[in-house]
Amino acid sequence: MLRTLFRLLTGSRSPVVNGELTMPGLSRPVVIRRDGYGVPHIDAENDRDAAFALGFAQAQDRAGQLEVLLRIIHGTMAELVGDVALPLDRLSRRIGFHRSALEQWDVIDDDVKSLLDAFTAGINAGFEHGLKQWPHEFTLLKSIPTPWTGTDVLGYVKFLSFQLPSNWDVELARFLMLREDGPEAVAALDPVGKIVLNEPDAAPTGTLASLLAELQVLNEYAPRGGGSNNWAIAGSRTASGKPILASDPHLGPSLPNPWYLAHVRTPEWSVAGALFASSPVFPIGHNGHACWGVTAGLTDTTDLFIETLSEDGRQAKEPDGSWRDCQIYHETIRSKSGTEVVETIAVTPRGPLVTPLIPGETLAISLKAVWLQPRPLRGFFEAMKARSFEEFRKPFAAWPILPLNVLYADATGFIGYQLVGDLPIRSGGNGLLPTPVSRGDWTDYVAFDDMPTTANPDCGYLATANDDPYEWMPPTEKKAHIGFDFIDPYRAETIREEIARESQWTVPRVQNLQMNLRSKPWEIIRERVLALTATGDAAIALAELRGWDGYITLDSSAAAVYELFIAALSVQVAKAKAPNCWMLAVGGDGQGPFAHNLLGDRRIRHLIDLLDSQPDAWTSAMLESLATAVQQLREAAGPS
């Protein structure tokens, strides 16, 4: 009833998709056709007009989403929704997504600037000419769309680089666990805990609490979470004799979707695939000759530094004991309520302070990130036109943003892998914890030719799923340190094992593999769990699991028992090892600043290692967790 009333009051507000429009910004006529799913198919006579049309179509379809992203980048969300967003705006201003985009604009190539300018001109034209009325979001919030500029696209990819796991959240989680539960807890719960962790000599406390509260607000507007799969199967393993490539991105669920589907064609090139809304390039796509797909690389592109400041917060102490001036900015943040907040921002030689400046507080945390540096950018802007793997990979020598595992396949039968995204070389520290400035800084960047890459393996397939590439590549290929915080390898191993079982792969079979529900961890622990002797609810759980085929299907009560058992056991282990900060180790509460952090994403491998190395020590915990699973299901779904 309410939906019907709302529709009657506001109308459908559909974009203009029929007829002919005349507007400034195009050099030649462009045609945009929509298929039955609403996906735009664009015919343009040159690159700039193609980028303009892409922006125009995105503005028609995603105006509200574009507005939210723009305001997150600029730190102006409170102007739209009120004081509740002030913490988000303060954090955005301090990190400086927009500020660093302005700095980067000066070092990128003119052809990239031209495409960004054309794309955002298309967005603005879409707002003005492509909509009959402002979409519902703007009506409800009594607002109108904000114009875009080319630097805003750079700001967005910086924000995306911050949101996708880039290690800063795990650094904070390790630090808090180290402080509250000690180094033994970190060593016991972190898969890389065997590495010596030196507790920082000193670190901020009050300002850190403010940072965590701001991160929680950010998570409400832009939920984190994800992971991805991709694989390329050579023609030697396909029924057609041609390669098949699959790309299956997993980002936090949202409406609208982060991805935007489109097809663009010019006389020189054609690309169809998926873009991020607010971007003109295709991270997943094909150009009629080559295709490519991505997963999050999870390399360590970001470090936190513990800074010692002067009493007024205007200077930072250097490793040699000298003092250097910080760059100081005063920015006014306005709220819809009329509130105005002046945020004082300090940028040290490492990077911006992400903890707020508080009078008298001389310790702070700065953030240094590859994606905040003013470095050249090409990558997908050029690669999506490639006709060979070498043409495809070379532009990523200039890619200082999202670290990605990129897989490639083409019509000649070639398949290849390249890890992309600039990486720092450190003079001290290992990127696992916030590091005191006195212990070192970055000295250089890893050479592109030293990044992991391979092609045409004898096995006939390549696959990644946010795992460490050095675990599946030959040891001789390891030329650079790329990080520690990768996800458990079970998804990637499952894909490789499934591909290896067949030699006549077809597209429908590959689509089925994307929906594969096999639980490899259960296969590893099955015998150990089923060997338990249980009574009561734990016995009910074991009875379910004994007949289970190990596939996580929606209609499987055993699958539900298994998932809740693993979750309960993870919590038990975390509480035993880190009673104060155990929630950090299991991925937070799903909502706060540590939701879906990489410690939580690596719990299963850790559990399996514990059950292998200390089988008798965890018998009672396993029995209790089995009973907990049954009790939770009974409470949630009834006695059946």
Side-chain angles (χ1 to χ4, degrees):
M1 181 66 182
L2 286 175
R3 180 183 298 180
T4 302
L5 179 60
F6 181 75
R7 190 172 292 169
L8 288 172
L9 290 173
T10 61
S12 64
R13 301 186 178 238
S14 301
V16 179
V17 294
N18 294 309
E20 185 175 304
L21 297 172
T22 301
M23 67 194 74
L26 290 171
S27 63
R28 300 289 298 165
V30 171
V31 176
I32 303 177
R33 299 178 179 89
R34 301 273 183 163
D35 63 23
Y37 298 99
V39 174
H41 297 256
I42 296 166
D43 284 289
E45 296 183 27
N46 55 67
D47 290 9
R48 275 189 57 89
D49 286 352
F52 182 99
L54 257 180
F56 185 90
Q58 287 192 21
Q60 287 187 301
D61 297 334
R62 303 291 185 88
Q65 183 181 26
L66 292 173
E67 185 69 15
V68 169
L69 293 174
L70 186 70
R71 288 185 176 277
I72 290 175
I73 296 161
H74 283 258
T76 59
M77 185 66 76
E79 292 181 10
L80 189 67
V81 300
D83 291 2
V84 67
L86 285 173
L88 183 159
D89 289 348
R90 295 181 67 194
L91 180 63
S92 175
R93 303 288 185 103
R94 286 203 303 276
I95 294 173
F97 302 115
H98 178 60
R99 185 173 62 248
S100 65
L102 294 174
E103 295 170 354
Q104 187 177 18
W105 186 259
D106 293 334
V107 302
I108 63 175
D109 294 331
D110 288 342
D111 61 332
V112 175
K113 287 181 183 177
S114 177
L115 289 177
L116 293 175
D117 280 337
F119 174 71
T120 52
I123 289 177
N124 299 332
F127 292 153
E128 184 175 354
H129 302 283
L131 299 167
K132 300 172 186 176
Q133 303 177 76
W134 299 134
H136 297 104
E137 301 97 309
F138 297 96
T139 301
L140 291 171
L141 294 169
K142 299 179 180 178
S143 179
I144 61 173
T146 306
W148 278 64
T149 67
T151 56
D152 294 326
V153 179
L154 298 180
Y156 168 70
V157 295
K158 291 172 186 291
F159 170 69
L160 193 60
S161 301
F162 174 76
Q163 277 294 91
L164 284 178
S166 57
N167 175 259
W168 58 265
D169 58 336
V170 191
E171 286 192 38
L172 284 178
R174 285 194 190 100
F175 168 69
L176 291 172
M177 193 182 299
L178 191 65
R179 188 179 66 179
E180 299 297 324
D181 291 297
E184 298 82 8
V186 179
L189 289 175
D190 189 348
V192 297
K194 296 176 184 177
I195 299 167
V196 176
L197 292 172
N198 296 315
E199 185 170 3
D201 303 320
T205 53
T207 57
L208 184 57
S210 297
L211 171 61
L212 296 179
E214 291 165 347
L215 287 169
Q216 180 151 347
V217 175
L218 173 61
N219 194 58
E220 293 170 5
Y221 286 91
R224 303 182 72 209
S228 301
N229 310 316
N230 65 359
W231 59 90
I233 305 175
S236 59
R237 286 190 170 273
T238 68
S240 68
K242 293 292 186 179
I244 300 173
L245 184 139
S247 193
D248 183 14
H250 311 160
L251 295 179
S254 67
L255 288 175
N257 192 302
W259 295 97
Y260 186 84
L261 303 182
H263 171 208
V264 180
R265 184 168 58 184
T266 76
E268 285 76 37
W269 56 272
S270 175
V271 177
L275 317 87
F276 285 108
S278 78
S279 169
V281 297
F282 290 79
I284 300 172
H286 69 84
N287 63 16
H289 175 79
C291 57
W292 55 92
V294 298
T295 66
L298 304 191
T299 53
D300 192 352
T301 64
T302 307
D303 280 341
L304 299 174
F305 286 89
I306 298 174
E307 303 273 359
T308 301
L309 306 177
S310 58
E311 287 287 338
D312 62 4
R314 292 180 173 272
Q315 292 185 312
K317 182 176 284 189
E318 294 301 288
D320 62 4
S322 64
W323 293 88
R324 283 186 61 182
D325 290 340
C326 299
Q327 293 174 279
I328 302 294
Y329 304 90
H330 301 285
E331 297 197 10
T332 301
I333 303 172
R334 296 177 175 83
S335 171
K336 191 174 185 177
S337 68
T339 302
E340 288 193 358
V341 176
V342 177
E343 183 71 13
T344 300
I345 297 159
V347 180
T348 77
R350 268 65 55 192
L353 296 185
V354 290
T355 50
L357 282 173
I358 297 177
E361 176 63 77
T362 58
L363 292 176
I365 294 179
S366 63
L367 181 145
K368 186 165 189 173
V370 169
W371 38 268
L372 283 176
Q373 311 305 311
R375 293 172 63 78
L377 171 66
R378 293 202 68 80
F380 284 114
F381 285 90
E382 181 179 343
M384 61 186 186
K385 302 177 185 179
R387 305 286 291 181
S388 71
F389 183 55
E390 199 57 29
E391 281 184 20
F392 182 84
R393 65 181 290 270
K394 276 187 176 180
F396 288 101
W399 189 254
I401 48 175
L402 291 170
L404 299 168
N405 295 300
V406 184
L407 287 184
Y408 168 98
D410 67 30
T412 70
F414 194 104
I415 64 171
Y417 163 80
Q418 177 71 55
L419 178 66
V420 306
D422 296 356
L423 285 173
I425 297 173
R426 298 168 175 85
S427 63
N430 49 27
L432 293 175
L433 281 170
T435 304
V437 170
S438 60
R439 294 188 189 162
D441 199 347
W442 297 0
T443 57
D444 203 348
Y445 292 88
V446 173
F448 180 65
D449 287 339
D450 288 341
M451 296 287 281
T453 186
T454 191
N456 296 326
D458 292 339
C459 64
Y461 56 83
L462 293 163
T464 80
N466 316 119
D467 53 330
D468 183 349
Y470 287 139
E471 287 195 5
W472 57 267
M473 294 180 69
T476 54
E477 295 296 321
K478 188 168 185 177
K479 299 177 182 178
H481 172 66
I482 61 175
F484 295 102
D485 291 305
F486 301 96
I487 288 177
D488 284 351
Y490 303 121
R491 285 184 296 122
E493 290 174 357
T494 298
I495 294 166
R496 293 174 192 132
E497 290 171 4
E498 295 287 338
I499 294 173
R501 290 176 182 174
E502 292 195 36
S503 60
Q504 294 292 307
W505 283 94
T506 63
V507 169
R509 286 184 177 183
V510 168
Q511 290 174 323
N512 287 335
L513 180 54
Q514 284 188 312
M515 304 300 291
N516 185 279
L517 301 175
R518 173 185 160 205
S519 174
K520 185 178 174 72
W522 170 246
E523 295 170 7
I524 298 172
I525 66 172
R526 183 180 187 277
E527 289 187 14
R528 192 178 304 283
V529 174
L530 295 184
L532 294 170
T533 301
T535 59
D537 287 339
I540 295 174
L542 287 177
E544 289 282 343
L545 292 171
R546 282 194 181 94
W548 183 40
D549 63 2
Y551 283 75
I552 313 290
T553 56
L554 288 176
D555 60 354
S556 170
S557 57
V561 168
Y562 165 74
E563 290 291 346
L564 291 174
F565 160 68
I566 285 291
L569 187 57
S570 297
V571 169
Q572 282 217 57
V573 170
K575 284 183 173 179
K577 301 296 185 181
N580 298 310
C581 287
W582 64 269
M583 192 173 282
L584 299 178
V586 295
D589 58 4
Q591 300 297 325
F594 295 106
H596 305 292
N597 75 66
L598 290 174
L599 287 183
D601 285 338
R602 295 203 298 272
R603 284 278 57 80
I604 308 306
R605 189 178 198 177
H606 177 250
L607 280 180
I608 290 173
D609 289 345
L610 277 182
L611 297 181
D612 282 343
S613 61
Q614 307 169 22
D616 297 333
W618 298 102
T619 297
S620 61
M622 285 195 288
L623 290 170
E624 186 178 335
S625 297
L626 286 167
T628 297
V630 171
Q631 291 157 13
Q632 289 177 333
L633 285 170
R634 185 182 293 128
E635 180 180 342
S640 63

